[in-house]
Amino acid sequence: MRAVFRLMPILGLLGLLVLTACDSGQVYEKNTDLKSPSGVPYVWAVQEKPTFEFEIPDTTLRYDVYFNVRNASNYEYYNLYVKHTLTGPDGKSISRLLHQMLLMDPQTGEPRGNGTGDIYDHQFLALPNQHFSQTGPYKIMLEQYMRQDQLPNIMAVGVRVAKHTDAKK
């Protein structure tokens, strides 16, 4: 029992470090690993439409919505087209847009994003300074919008919602 009490300050310090490392402006973040209908990993099938549900607690604030993409370095294209559908708490569609994300430099072929070796992570600001008119749960669905049904080497996609911060401050 004494050993447990000796560990309490260390555990408390570790917990504090974890809390301070978190982004205080982040409202939501989740990523989904992708695989084909037959179970092959790292394939984004056209029928696979990951949906993410997040809560908006305050309608007086503005939010930034990001899309996360993880790809293998042998992804065949320099870009990725993704269509999103955003639905409000009342079930009505709020927005539906097509986004082009550059995963590699179109001229040099060098990977963009953060990564080493064969895996790269990207975060794209998809909906900047977004105003949500109702509190409650929102859903955002992502669809790959490339010209092939099975898109290999896209490992995961996700959504991040954060409180908007004015960069001019």
Side-chain angles (χ1 to χ4, degrees):
M1 191 68 153
R2 285 186 185 174
V4 171
F5 285 116
R6 282 189 225 156
L7 287 175
M8 293 293 274
I10 295 170
L11 293 174
L13 180 61
L14 287 174
L16 182 61
L17 288 174
V18 168
L19 288 176
T20 57
C22 294
D23 179 0
S24 63
Q26 182 172 306
V27 174
Y28 173 86
E29 184 163 12
K30 185 175 181 186
N31 298 298
T32 298
D33 291 334
L34 299 170
K35 61 183 172 186
S36 73
S38 63
V40 176
Y42 312 140
V43 174
W44 193 356
V46 74
Q47 63 268 37
E48 176 81 17
K49 299 175 183 179
T51 302
F52 304 89
E53 186 172 316
F54 57 93
E55 193 77 25
I56 293 297
D58 187 346
T59 59
T60 63
L61 298 177
R62 297 224 171 226
Y63 298 87
D64 292 325
V65 180
Y66 299 86
F67 295 162
N68 300 331
V69 176
R70 174 174 279 176
N71 69 286
S73 62
N74 55 351
Y75 177 67
E76 295 178 24
Y77 305 100
Y78 71 88
N79 63 353
L80 173 66
Y81 286 100
V82 173
K83 184 166 51 170
H84 89 264
T85 303
L86 178 64
T87 307
D90 57 4
K92 293 181 182 176
S93 179
I94 296 171
S95 66
R96 187 175 175 100
L97 294 172
L98 182 63
H99 306 267
Q100 176 181 223
M101 296 176 253
L102 297 178
L103 304 181
M104 308 207 189
D105 186 290
Q107 294 177 340
T108 66
E110 290 294 315
R112 292 184 170 184
N114 297 319
T116 55
D118 295 342
I119 299 173
Y120 292 90
D121 292 312
H122 311 266
Q123 193 166 80
F124 299 97
L125 180 57
L127 298 170
N129 202 18
Q130 183 74 34
H131 176 255
F132 294 98
S133 60
Q134 302 173 54
T135 60
Y138 285 76
K139 290 182 182 177
I140 191 162
M141 180 179 64
L142 303 181
E143 303 175 59
Q144 68 99 330
Y145 214 69
M146 299 295 282
R147 292 184 179 161
Q148 64 187 81
D149 289 346
Q150 308 290 313
L151 190 58
N153 300 310
I154 298 294
M155 304 170 77
V157 294
V159 171
R160 177 177 186 263
V161 180
K163 294 175 187 171
H164 176 75
T165 55
D166 189 4
K168 295 178 184 177
K169 286 184 180 178

